[in-house]
Amino acid sequence: MSHENLLDGPAPTLLPADGADADARDALTSGSSAREAVPAAPSSSLVWAILAEHALADDGDPVAAYAYARTGYHRGLDALRRAGWRGRGPVPVDHVPNQGFLRALLALGEAAEAIEESDESARCLQFLLDCGTSADEVAALR
């Protein structure tokens, strides 16, 4: 029987390479828009994160961005739990399958700030730090 080393903290959580975000990436690289990719991968954090990012940047619609980002965030939490995440520990940004969740989390924080929900925005930024990354690192993925 193997036990977690409590001095090192929990092991990093790595989402599977063949998950919903992989299906979304396939749809996106074949020319589909994020909106068109949703039916191909509705449980993908990535498509919801991209929709949120566009709603913030291009559409100027922080309310829609918040809804998209919240969907991607919850889809990502579900995927992380299935991958063994127990509510804490690193979610490495350099692992491509994790990036959709992290982008959704950042977009949620940005959308929350845009609708003046500062506590939620701060919580999202802290969650990124708790995952072992930063807003700048995740924003660089866009």
Side-chain angles (χ1 to χ4, degrees):
M1 177 185 277
S2 166
H3 297 285
E4 178 182 325
N5 182 339
L6 297 178
L7 296 176
D8 292 337
T13 301
L14 305 176
L15 292 175
D18 61 350
D21 280 4
D23 296 335
R25 276 188 186 77
D26 288 345
L28 294 166
T29 57
S30 71
S32 294
S33 69
R35 187 176 293 278
E36 293 166 340
V38 169
S43 61
S44 165
S45 291
L46 180 62
V47 293
W48 297 108
I50 291 170
L51 288 168
E53 292 164 359
H54 286 300
L56 281 169
D58 301 334
D59 302 337
D61 188 351
V63 173
Y66 187 90
Y68 291 138
R70 176 71 62 191
T71 300
Y73 166 78
H74 281 289
R75 297 298 182 140
L77 287 178
D78 292 343
L80 286 169
R81 288 182 187 117
R82 284 191 304 273
W85 186 72
R86 300 287 181 248
R88 64 185 187 91
V91 180
V93 70
D94 61 347
H95 182 67
V96 172
N98 290 353
Q99 292 175 359
F101 167 73
L102 296 169
R103 285 175 68 176
L105 179 57
L106 177 59
L108 181 59
E110 292 169 341
E113 187 64 32
I115 62 172
E116 299 181 19
E117 190 179 359
S118 297
D119 289 346
E120 177 73 352
S121 178
R123 185 188 70 77
C124 291
L125 294 177
Q126 183 60 53
F127 195 171
L128 284 171
L129 294 173
D130 294 345
C131 287
T133 189
S134 69
D136 289 341
E137 287 178 291
V138 176
L141 299 172
R142 296 178 175 158

